[in-house]
Amino acid sequence: MMMKICVIGTGYVGLTTGAILADLGHEVFCVDKDKLKIEKLTQGEVPIYEPGLKELILRNKKNSHLHFSTDIQSVIKDCPILFITVGTPTNEDGSQNLTAINDVMDTLVQTVTSHKTIITKSTVLPGTNEWIQQSLIEKGIDSSLFDVVSNPEFLREGNAVFDMMNPDKIVIGVKSSKPIQVIKALYEKLHAPYIITSLTGAEMIKYASNAFLATKISFINEMARICDAYGVEITDIANALGRDKRIGPSFLNAGLGYGGSCFPKDVSALEYAAKQKRIVPEVLMAVQNVNDSQINLYIEKLTRKLTNLDGKKITVWGLAFKPETDDTRESRSLILINKLLKSGAEIHAYDPIVHLIEFPITIHQDMYEALKEADALIIATEWDQFKTVDWKKVKGYMKGNIVVDGRNIIDPKIVMNHQFEYIGVARQ
Ligand code: NAD
């Protein structure tokens, strides 16, 4: 059944949600308060890099299944189904910044006169959807005019289109069974089991999921520290662990740690939420401590080799927080660069997609050109092209001979055969 849908917030999640729902046969209107973004999208320009997304958007724009607008109120009036996909960053103290959600609620209060199913896809702390429901009533919308549904999103940037088309589950949090059929009709072409729970249960599933994945990363990074001291190869450990069906192979790559717009903020928001209820989340705190100190391990090893970093020319390959995205939010690469700059290093960088960041560094268009006269190379993001490097060519460009593998994507023996010094954690 074709449905008329409004997606509020056209970022990584909103744009992908809109494009896929349109591709599933619905009529979708993506709205955003950012006029420039909507203008670009209207002209067929996609403001983010996500494999397969541009093609999907253009195809569905062409067949009039997908539209873009800044007239948020008119679109909301017209659509019975509303998705909220605005950002929910964390404040300094770990609490969640709900400014964007509040803005959306204010718009709803001014607009809603017919029934709406309001579906929150933004990641919000346990209790937030209950609060949204209550606040909308308090602000004057009759409770019969809307249902609030929590439908958290589990996509991975860089695989967003595939993940949303092939979810391993669809989580629905509801207060009553009334909106369940609407959600099932929305997603009828997707083949995934439904997990139906309370509003707060759905919110908690999203945080538990991200916190668990972050825990796997910090666990393997802690193992790498121990393995480093014992002269053990960490990739052998990860490989063996990953083959255990009870553990699974994902998120077991040791390195500079986790970044991005989700894990850091979601783990710290969950810590905040636990503490609000007087629970001390020991594991979550340790996960963050390991992650926060991981970059220093590499910097300390590099500093020992170069004596000091002041005036040294260092090339960083990779700026995005992970491969196949242009997203640099909480990127370990940027945090690393910031620390190197503070130590007086001169930074040259290359990334296949990210060509601009607000740091005083030089970004090159060619990964080898970026190496000219460099004292050291640091691989900070595991883009595929950094896995098949012409080390002879690298040697020709660099002044020094140090290669820091922050993502364990290089065989140390290969670089050492080219007379480089390899720096990693627990690599043999
Ligand atoms: P984003 O910053 O890329 O996009 C948010 C968009 O919302 C922006 O375009 C912004 O202009 C728009 N916006 C803000 N206030 C608005 C308003 N009042 N009206 C209309 N538009 C408004 O964010 P994102 O990465 O897409 O994340 C969105 C939410 O989804 C967050 O809660 C995030 O935690 C969650 N999430 C993100 C991912 C991911 O990989 N990025 C995955 C799962 C869940």
Side-chain angles (χ1 to χ4, degrees):
M1 183 175 64
M2 195 270 270
M3 292 170 157
K4 220 167 172 182
I5 300 164
C6 167
V7 178
I8 308 169
T10 56
Y12 288 86
V13 169
L15 259 186
T16 314
T17 303
I20 282 175
L21 288 170
D23 213 53
L24 293 177
H26 301 297
E27 184 168 21
V28 181
F29 296 80
C30 285
V31 299
D32 202 290
K33 64 172 191 179
D34 183 338
K35 290 196 166 54
L36 189 65
K37 210 179 226 187
I38 293 296
E39 209 174 286
K40 280 187 178 171
L41 284 160
T42 309
Q43 288 161 7
E45 243 184 88
V46 178
I48 57 169
Y49 175 77
E50 187 58 53
L53 184 60
K54 186 167 184 175
E55 295 80 350
L56 204 63
I57 289 175
L58 294 182
R59 182 167 77 232
N60 285 286
K61 215 171 145 292
K62 199 167 167 199
N63 65 20
S64 294
H65 278 207
L66 184 61
H67 315 269
F68 296 99
S69 172
T70 46
D71 189 355
I72 304 181
Q73 297 207 356
S74 302
V75 174
I76 289 177
K77 270 196 166 52
D78 239 28
C79 296
I81 314 281
L82 313 177
F83 273 89
I84 302 178
T85 54
V86 296
T88 49
T90 38
N91 296 315
E92 280 283 299
D93 63 355
S95 63
Q96 198 158 44
N97 183 334
L98 291 176
T99 309
I101 297 268
N102 262 316
D103 287 351
V104 172
M105 291 209 299
D106 288 344
T107 311
L108 292 177
V109 171
Q110 291 162 29
T111 320
V112 171
T113 48
S114 58
H115 188 273
K116 310 288 172 195
T117 302
I118 302 168
I119 306 166
T120 312
K121 242 191 197 310
S122 297
T123 303
V124 289
L125 276 174
T128 308
N129 275 291
E130 285 279 358
W131 167 80
I132 291 175
Q133 156 107 16
Q134 203 46 44
S135 302
L136 289 175
I137 293 169
E138 279 164 18
K139 285 171 189 262
I141 308 184
D142 194 279
S143 63
S144 65
L145 279 183
F146 71 96
D147 291 296
V148 171
V149 176
S150 171
N151 174 214
E153 181 49 54
F154 298 90
L155 66 79
R156 296 162 299 169
E157 282 180 29
N159 290 282
V161 172
F162 177 86
D163 286 352
M164 228 186 232
M165 280 288 197
N166 304 278
D168 43 27
K169 76 262 177 204
I170 297 172
V171 174
I172 301 178
V174 281
K175 239 180 137 49
S176 74
S177 57
K178 212 172 91 205
I180 293 175
Q181 284 323 312
V182 177
I183 305 292
K184 288 194 169 173
L186 262 179
Y187 293 131
E188 66 184 353
K189 290 190 182 153
L190 298 180
H191 304 287
Y194 284 91
I195 295 179
I196 296 170
T197 177
S198 62
L199 286 174
T200 309
E203 295 161 338
M204 196 68 89
I205 288 170
K206 174 66 190 171
Y207 281 94
S209 177
N210 277 359
F212 186 73
L213 296 173
T215 302
K216 275 186 99 177
I217 295 171
S218 280
F219 172 79
I220 200 71
N221 279 332
E222 186 160 272
M223 282 308 303
R225 294 175 190 197
I226 301 169
C227 288
D228 207 36
Y230 278 86
V232 169
E233 169 64 48
I234 186 64
T235 58
D236 292 345
I237 308 303
N239 188 10
L241 283 180
R243 281 168 200 278
D244 186 325
K245 289 187 187 63
R246 296 166 303 175
I247 298 173
S250 323
F251 295 87
L252 285 180
N253 191 27
L256 288 167
Y258 62 79
S261 65
C262 293
F263 286 5
K265 89 168 165 69
D266 292 349
V267 179
S268 92
L270 186 55
E271 176 192 342
Y272 177 88
K275 287 180 173 169
Q276 290 298 101
K277 298 285 185 190
R278 298 181 195 284
I279 293 158
V280 181
E282 312 271 7
V283 174
L284 296 183
M285 290 181 332
V287 164
Q288 293 170 92
N289 288 340
V290 170
N291 201 55
D292 290 345
S293 54
Q294 199 64 15
I295 288 172
N296 288 344
L297 292 185
Y298 290 85
I299 293 186
E300 280 161 19
K301 286 193 179 208
L302 179 63
T303 311
R304 276 201 293 276
K305 286 275 180 224
L306 292 174
T307 318
N308 72 68
L309 301 179
D310 195 19
K312 297 289 186 314
K313 190 169 168 185
I314 297 174
T315 300
V316 177
W317 278 354
L319 295 168
F321 87 92
K322 63 185 282 194
E324 300 300 330
T325 182
D326 59 349
D327 197 347
T328 57
R329 288 178 286 185
E330 290 287 325
S331 166
R332 294 300 99 177
S333 173
L334 268 50
I335 294 169
L336 168 85
I337 289 173
N338 204 17
K339 286 178 186 261
L340 295 172
L341 285 170
K342 282 189 178 141
S343 302
E346 175 189 330
I347 307 296
H348 290 252
Y350 167 80
D351 187 281
I353 297 292
V354 181
H355 302 304
L356 194 68
I357 57 168
E358 284 173 7
F359 281 177
I361 67 169
T362 309
I363 299 182
H364 297 259
Q365 298 305 310
D366 180 276
M367 63 191 258
Y368 294 102
E369 289 288 328
L371 293 165
K372 253 186 205 160
E373 296 296 307
D375 293 290
L377 160 66
I378 303 179
I379 299 175
T381 311
E382 62 272 43
W383 285 96
D384 273 348
Q385 68 193 88
F386 304 150
K387 294 175 184 167
T388 51
V389 174
D390 180 344
W391 290 106
K392 218 171 147 189
K393 200 167 168 186
V394 171
K395 191 95 201 163
Y397 276 97
M398 284 178 68
K399 184 170 81 190
N401 69 337
I402 294 172
V403 175
V404 182
D405 184 1
R407 294 296 173 190
N408 290 355
I409 57 171
I410 291 171
D411 181 345
K413 290 178 195 72
I414 293 179
V415 281
M416 288 192 291
N417 281 343
H418 285 85
Q419 278 72 55
F420 285 100
E421 284 202 53
Y422 177 93
I423 294 180
V425 176
R427 300 303 309 282
Q428 306 302 317

